[in-house]
Amino acid sequence: MEEHLTVLYRGPLASCDYDCPYCPFAKRRDTPEQLRADREALERFVGWVREQDHEISVLFTPWGEGLVRSWYRRALVELSHLPHVRRAAIQTNLSHRVDWTADADLSRLALWCTYHPGQVPYERFLGKCSDLAGRGVRFSVGIVGKAEHLDAARRLRADLPADVYLWVNAAEGATYT
């Protein structure tokens, strides 16, 4: 039997460039020391993955926004080119440039993009999604499951390509019927 390991990686990063009222990490800033520790931890992790002799899939689930940091973009590109890495993915608010994806192996890279109404104009977020689709990047789109986000979720479903998966993330403390 072929061994395969799926790893959810969450390092020390806890800063985000958005100010979502439902998120405890909104507009939090990491100190230079915290950012350095996060970069070093991520580099150690990538080194560990590089040394493995079995297939691995990685999903980065930072408490903040990783892709505004160059070391997350570099890590995803490197991991996507390792022959034993099936998938290198990250959760993101898509607030960053997406041209770095041109350096990745797109058969292995994936992005879990979350739209946050009130933080970014709808057209800008949808434009980033169109850019990703045009580049051939595999991605899904999500939205936090708050009642006031329902119209935006419906609009996303109508405007996104049919093959882009749309998901709803349960809001902390919310009850759904």
Side-chain angles (χ1 to χ4, degrees), residues 9 13 42 58-62 64-69 71-73 75-76 87-94 96 100 108-114 138-140 167:
Y9 177 90
L13 184 74
L42 182 62
V58 177
L59 171 59
F60 293 104
T61 59
E65 176 53 42
L67 290 180
V68 297
R69 305 292 173 198
W71 52 93
Y72 280 90
R73 296 188 303 266
L76 285 160
R87 182 85 63 240
I90 190 168
Q91 290 179 313
T92 177
N93 64 22
L94 212 52
H96 50 82
W100 64 271
R108 296 184 179 150
L109 178 69
L111 303 179
W112 291 20
C113 309
T114 306
R138 181 179 309 171
F139 69 101
S140 65
W167 45 272

Side-chain angles (χ1 to χ4, degrees), residues 18-22 115-122 125 143 148-149 152:
Y18 279 6
D19 191 19
C20 302
Y22 43 81
Y115 175 55
H116 297 281
Q119 299 301 303
V120 60
Y122 179 83
F125 182 85
I143 191 165
E148 61 267 26
H149 294 171

Side-chain angles (χ1 to χ4, degrees), residues 16-145:
C16 186
D17 54 341
Y18 279 6
D19 191 19
C20 302
Y22 43 81
C23 180
F25 301 99
K27 284 293 185 189
R28 183 168 159 184
R29 295 190 188 275
D30 286 318
T31 65
E33 294 78 24
Q34 290 169 315
L35 291 172
R36 193 170 19 264
D38 181 68
R39 185 179 64 245
E40 290 168 358
L42 182 62
E43 289 170 356
R44 277 191 311 277
F45 174 73
V46 170
W48 176 82
V49 171
R50 195 182 305 119
E51 299 302 317
Q52 300 309 298
D53 61 358
H54 55 275
E55 288 194 328
I56 298 178
S57 294
V58 177
L59 171 59
F60 293 104
T61 59
W63 287 119
E65 176 53 42
L67 290 180
V68 297
R69 305 292 173 198
S70 61
W71 52 93
Y72 280 90
R73 296 188 303 266
R74 282 193 308 266
L76 285 160
V77 169
E78 179 179 347
L79 291 172
S80 77
H81 286 286
L82 294 176
H84 61 288
V85 172
R86 280 190 195 174
R87 182 85 63 240
I90 190 168
Q91 290 179 313
T92 177
N93 64 22
L94 212 52
S95 65
H96 50 82
R97 300 180 342 267
V98 298
D99 58 349
W100 64 271
T101 61
D103 295 328
D105 179 339
L106 297 183
S107 70
R108 296 184 179 150
L109 178 69
L111 303 179
W112 291 20
C113 309
T114 306
Y115 175 55
H116 297 281
Q119 299 301 303
V120 60
Y122 179 83
E123 293 74 19
R124 183 181 307 160
F125 182 85
L126 192 63
K128 296 273 180 86
C129 292
S130 295
D131 192 354
L132 289 172
R135 293 171 181 277
V137 177
R138 181 179 309 171
F139 69 101
S140 65
V141 172
I143 191 165
V144 175

